[in-house]
Amino acid sequence: MSEKNLLKGKVAVVTGSGQGVGRALAIGLAEHGAKVITNNRKPGSTGNAMLTGKEYERLSAEKKEWYDRVQAELNGDAETTASEIRRRGGEATACFADISKMEDAERLIRTAVNTYGRIDILCNVAGAFGVCEIDKISDELWDKVNNIKPKGYFHTMRYAVPYMKAQKSGRIINCTSRAFMGDIIKHAE
């Protein structure tokens, strides 16, 4: 089987695939033949989620140019990513759903099954940023971050696993990031 058809006949759900790593992963799965359900909470990009305005202003002109170019390539939403997959000849359907809500996670997984007949791969990439010192973190910030990872990941797995058990196959990939170490741009300064 050619690499292009490695995932032919497989159906993948990728949370947080409107932009960044999730977007790249969704496009990559489609390029290998998978039908993909793309996902993020709502229409529209979250934009400059990695840096505050103050942090952005501290970047050199060269780093701002690089950052702006990368953001333009990676920003979007579930429909933007699904459209790009279709433009490249793949199959994709967007589903706007907030996985921190159990009923939305169920709707996301059912979208895969109702649209393509199954779910073979679940990639949880969605995340929320909230950086501050531990002794200053508020309940609101804690909930913002943890309602996605790990709670939202649990929600999607909760609904995907029964289908995978019935099929006697499936893969779940839960992603994290280096964000707990501080963002990469800060380390590059």
Side-chain angles (χ1 to χ4, degrees):
M1 180 176 290
S2 78
E3 197 173 292
K4 183 158 178 75
N5 291 318
L6 187 64
L7 299 174
K8 185 175 183 176
K10 302 294 183 188
V11 176
V13 171
V14 184
T15 69
S17 53
Q19 57 191 23
V21 173
R23 178 180 170 90
L25 186 56
I27 290 170
L29 289 165
E31 286 177 346
H32 288 284
K35 298 171 185 172
V36 181
I37 301 295
T38 59
N39 160 260
N40 65 291
R41 281 179 278 212
K42 59 185 179 186
S45 172
T46 59
N48 193 358
M50 290 294 292
L51 297 176
T52 66
K54 193 180 215 181
E55 291 167 330
Y56 179 79
E57 288 308 314
R58 287 197 323 244
L59 296 176
S60 68
E62 183 179 300
K63 285 186 179 173
K64 282 180 185 174
E65 182 181 324
W66 169 82
Y67 185 78
D68 292 343
R69 181 177 43 78
V70 169
Q71 289 296 310
E73 290 172 8
L74 298 179
N75 281 346
D77 63 19
E79 184 52 48
T80 306
T81 302
S83 293
E84 178 62 18
I85 290 169
R86 291 189 297 266
R87 186 188 72 73
R88 294 178 184 206
E91 289 187 58
T93 301
C95 180
F96 294 102
D98 181 347
I99 65 170
S100 72
K101 299 174 181 160
M102 195 169 265
E103 63 275 5
D104 277 18
E106 180 180 23
R107 182 170 49 82
L108 173 62
I109 300 305
R110 283 197 183 176
T111 296
V113 174
N114 292 343
T115 304
Y116 299 118
R118 58 188 298 123
I119 177 172
D120 299 286
I121 304 165
L122 170 61
C123 296
N124 281 311
V125 187
F129 291 98
V131 180
C132 77
E133 296 172 26
I134 190 74
D135 59 335
K136 294 186 175 39
I137 194 166
S138 66
D139 278 347
E140 294 78 21
L141 182 56
W142 178 264
D143 290 344
K144 174 187 170 191
V145 174
N146 287 285
N147 280 345
I148 303 297
K149 294 179 188 179
K151 185 178 179 184
Y153 287 19
F154 160 72
H155 289 161
T156 58
M157 292 185 298
R158 159 86 173 66
Y159 290 103
V161 165
Y163 293 107
M164 292 176 174
K165 284 169 91 174
Q167 294 166 181
K168 298 189 182 342
S169 69
R171 299 291 184 267
I172 298 173
I173 302 164
N174 292 322
C175 299
T176 189
S177 74
R178 295 175 34 160
F180 69 92
M181 296 171 23
D183 69 64
I184 294 168
I185 291 176
K186 285 182 184 176
H187 291 297
E189 286 186 285

